[in-house]
Structure formats: structure tokens, C-alpha cells
Amino acid sequence: MNAPTTTNYNFLDDGINRFLTTQVYTTSPPTSSPNITVTQPPSSATQQTPPPQTTNQTTFSPSITSSVQQTTPTTQTTTSSTQTTPTTSSPSTQTSFSPPAPHSPQMTTRAQHGIFKPRKLFNLHTSTHQSISPLPTNPIDALNDHNWKMAMKDEYDALIENKTWELVPRPSNANVIRSLWIFRHKKKSDGSFERYKARLVGNGANQQSGVDCGETFSPVVKPATIRTVLSIALSKSWCLHQLDVKNAFLHGNLDETVYMHQPPGFRNPQYPEHVCLLKKSLYGLKQAPRAWYQRFTDYVAKLGFSHSISDHSLFIYHHGNDTAYILLYVDDIILTASSDALRDSIMSQLSSEFAMKDLEEIIERAGMSSCKSSPTPVDTKAKHSGSSGNPYHDPTEYRSLAGALQYLTFTRPDISYAVQQVCLFMHDPKTQHMSALKRIIRYIHDTLDFGLHLYPSSVSKLVSYTDADWAGCPDTRRSTSGYCVYLGDNLISWSAKRQHTLSRSSAEAEYRGVANVVSESCWIRNLLLELYCPVTTATLVYCDNVSAVYLSGNPVQHQRTKHIEMDIHFVREKVARGQVRVLHVPSRYQIADIFTKGLPLQLFEDFRDSLNIRQSPVSTTGVY
């Protein structure tokens, strides 16, 4: 058999297979080949005057090799037959080409002959974000996702390793609570995705008081205590460390008998009807915070710490010249010590008992991504009323934003008054209240790099300012009182709060404010005494109301002061003992005004600077 040649054929070469193309001129019925029609071109004389070509068809045959081999004899026969035709015949005997009829050639594919070429698919989509599995709505969906299934398995294995429960037959008439899975995406400090987190919790709503839960109260450290300890550490050049206890509530021991259903998706196949008898605390239980606090308190007591009487979440260690303080806020710990050796020793012992993570420094910023800025958090107009205006369409959103702003006031006293005002209407917010809340957010957006600054300073003196806005509430006509307390040059305590009772005069409202700040100052003095930093001088209290200053130091009693007799006697007693001195200050220098009313821009900025709310001197984010 003769192999086909490339004569009179045109080939297309894609680098892998050769595809045949040929021009077909239909002059006779199809040859024996059903796929390809090959016609020998006319002789040289005929080639000089090519026939009119009305149809130029190109046939691509993927299986051209086999087709050519099969039609080779036919092609050769046709060629020899054509060559025997005399080229000098009369015109009547010459080959004529009539216009071809419409022709639809049959397409031959590789698949028809069992030839398959792998198809390579290229993903041209580019993205800097990895595909993240969405939050599942139930345990079944989570178990069907590999990422969430592994997160659930890690949580379950950790609980088994911690010996959180043991399987027992279900007692009759026992209260068995449900077990639930909580899913969330853990994120890094920059907001990027870190890992999948599945948490097994107990449904504490089904617990019965006196049956499987008792006392549930758990103390947390006061913000003023934190700032006081920070000021002392700065003044003495002590190092500070912030520690985070991993799975803090799982460390607590339970005194009550608590039964729980087996976790969904992890039922023991040998004992499917058994229930979990909890030995350790679990997230979701009503007594979980208290059990963790008690466990931590018992352990640090073994290390030589004693809890403060002024604040039970403050633990003090004092032995000779060595002093250390521990502040506990749920599962966050702040540790400072007089020496590096003592601090390292305490951290090592805490890490051996609890799984710890040293955070060193945490910087959180709050604000909206894009909005118009506002120079002040509140205007200078009268306070808002709760009875006028249209109801806000989404009260849940309002409450959520107001609650978030309350946490921000821990480090931003300049927004305390504005946040206090919007929080008064959380039960029934109106559109005007939402506008006031958004103004606070716009102000925060413009001052994201502002924060409370603490400096090395003397801790031997306390200075406080107090003010009251008499009958400022348009609905109840109750007054708003505010104060701030400085330890040395550092602001450690402040408040903006509506008074509980109605004041019949501005002097009465101001005097209630004096009594509030004197009470706070006495608590701070007792706290400093426990921290081995006693204040030996009197606390200075500045008030801009002459009548209130006069009442605090003179034994004057008349009809208008009978109903505030308790406050009068309380302040006078502290003044008589030399612990407090109440002095007058002009309104222009009354820093506490920022906690009771809206101020003009210039006055607001002056008082804000006096609160040590300033920009960071050096940016530590995004600069290399």
C-alpha cells in the first residue's frame, strides 16, 4: 500500500496533529470515499484558463490519516484515468465545470473514531482572597464541610482531653440540658481570616436554680482600678504584660450536678442513650464565669496573692521589696511587677496551670469607613426629648451601636456625655436620637488616632473636678452630674450620669455632684492604700458653684437643705478629717463641663486636651 503524499493537499499543523485541507470541486457523483472528495486538476492546457469557481469549500478531517490510507487506491485509479484523456481533443470533448450544487460535507470527529485529546482548562481568574467556607446554620451542614468538621473535631478532642465530662446512664427525673455548636470565623488583628472556630456550649437557659446551678455572680475589675495600676506602673517604670487565658471557662470546677446531652454529631456509638455528667465548667452554663473566677482566685492565693477589698478582681502580692499586681477582667489578665525576675516567675507559674497567650499590646480602633467628620461629638443645643419625634425603624441597630460606644468610653472620656445621652433612649429610640448617635461616630472617625495618654507622674496627690447641669432633662427635669479625678497628672476616673432624684435648686444639684466625686475619691484613696501607695495630702475638689462650696465647709442648715442632709454630713465629715478640700474654680476652667453639656468647639478642644486625650506622638501601624 502506498502512503499518501502531500502533493495536491494542503495541511494545517497545530504542533500535535496534522489536519488536511483541500479545495473540492464537485463535477461528478461522490467517489467511494464518504468523507473526502479528491479530484485531479485539469491538464496544463486547462490550467491556463481555470474554470470559474463558485464554491470554495474546505474540509477539516480529524481522522484524515486513516481516510487517506483507505482512499489511496481510488485516488490512484482516478489519476491514471484522467491522465489517459487526450489533452488535444476538440472543445466538445474537453472537461467542463458546471456550477456546483449546494454541498454539505459530513463532519468527521475524533470521537467517532475513538480518538480523544485531553482538554486542558485554565483558570484565568485571579484573587488575593482564599475561599472561606461560610458559617453553617446547623451541625449537619458543618459536618458536610471539611473545614468546619475539623474545627468541631478539634474542639471535641480538647474537651475529652480536659476530662470535661463522663458518660453515664440518664437518671430518671434529671434535668438534662441541651448541647449546642457555635460557629464563627476567627480573625487576626488586621481583620484578615485566621481560622475556623467551633465552640461546644451548654444551653444554660434550661438550667434550674437550686437544682443544677447556684450563685452565678462573678466580679470584674473596675476601669478606674486598671488606670490606677497603670499610673503606678508608669511612675515606677514597671513593665506591663497583658495575658489571655485560652478557654478560660473550661478551667472552672463545678460544685453542682449538671447533666448534658451528648454533642450533636459526636454521639458515642456504644452508649447512644447515655448523657454527659459535667466535671468541668462549660461555656453557656450560668455558673461558668463564677466557677472560673473561683478557680483563678484559689490558684493565685497559693502563689501568695490576696484580693483587694476595694476591688475583688485586683490581686496584690507584697513580700519584702517585691510587689506585683494582677488585674482580672473575665479571661484577660494584666500583670505588672517591681522586677523582671518576679514578673517572669509569676508568668511561668500561671502558664503551667492555665493555657496562656501573651498579647503584649492590643490596639483597637473604632469608627466608620467613610463618612463626614464632625469636630465635636454633640451640639450645644438643648438635650433631646424622648417623647417627640418619629420612632427609628431599627431599634436593634441603635442599641447595638450605643452598646459598642459604651465600651469605647473606657478610653475616650471625651465622648462620655454624648454616649450617656444617646443611651437614655435605648428603650424607644427616635430618628433624632439616631442622628445624634451618628454624629458621635462621625466625630470618632475624625479622631481615630486620639486616645487617653498616661505619663510617668507623681502618685501622691488626687485632684478632682465636678459639675452639674441643673434640670437639663426636658422630660424629667433631673440634673446631669459629671466629674473627673486625676492621680498626679493622669486621668484615672470619670463619670457622666443623670442624677437619680430631682434637685430643687442649682446649689442642690451641684452639691450632689460634689458628694459623688468625694465618694469616688475616698474609694481611690483606700485602693491606693492597699497598693502600698498611700495619699497623705487632702483630695482637692473643684466646683464652680459658690453655694455648694460654702455648704461643704460651714455648718449651715436651713429649710432648703433638709432633704440633702445625708450628702451634706458625708462631705463635711471628710472635710473635717482633712481628707477633702472643696474649692471654687471659674467656669472657664471647669474641666468637668465636658461631662454635663455640649460645648463650643474651642472650649471643647481645650478641655479635651486637659483630659490627656491627644494624638499618638508616633505612629506604630503601617510604618516600616
Side-chain angles (χ1 to χ4, degrees), residues 464-470 480-484 499 505-515 517 540-552 581-597 599 603 607:
S464 58
Y465 295 81
T466 178
D467 184 57
D469 180 34
W470 177 52
T480 301
S481 60
Y483 65 78
C484 55
Q499 294 182 0
S505 64
S506 60
E508 179 182 337
E510 294 279 359
Y511 202 86
R512 291 189 191 278
V514 172
V517 74
L540 301 182
V541 178
Y542 288 99
C543 177
D544 59 359
N545 186 276
V546 178
S547 298
V549 175
Y550 184 75
L551 286 174
S552 64
R581 291 180 60 194
V582 181
L583 306 175
H584 180 263
V585 62
S587 297
R588 175 60 181 83
Y589 305 103
Q590 177 55 277
I591 303 175
D593 271 355
I594 200 173
F595 298 105
T596 60
K597 59 181 71 71
L599 300 174
L603 195 60
F607 289 165

Side-chain angles (χ1 to χ4, degrees), residues 428-477:
D428 185 21
K430 302 293 193 297
T431 54
Q432 59 181 350
H433 305 146
M434 189 62 188
S435 299
L437 189 148
K438 289 182 177 180
R439 176 174 179 140
I440 302 175
I441 298 178
R442 294 200 304 270
Y443 168 74
I444 295 171
H445 178 267
D446 193 41
T447 57
L448 277 177
D449 53 349
F450 279 64
L452 178 64
H453 287 229
L454 299 177
Y455 304 95
S457 175
S458 171
V459 293
S460 59
K461 64 176 182 178
L462 280 175
V463 179
S464 58
Y465 295 81
T466 178
D467 184 57
D469 180 34
W470 177 52
C473 178
D475 297 324
T476 63
R477 286 305 172 187

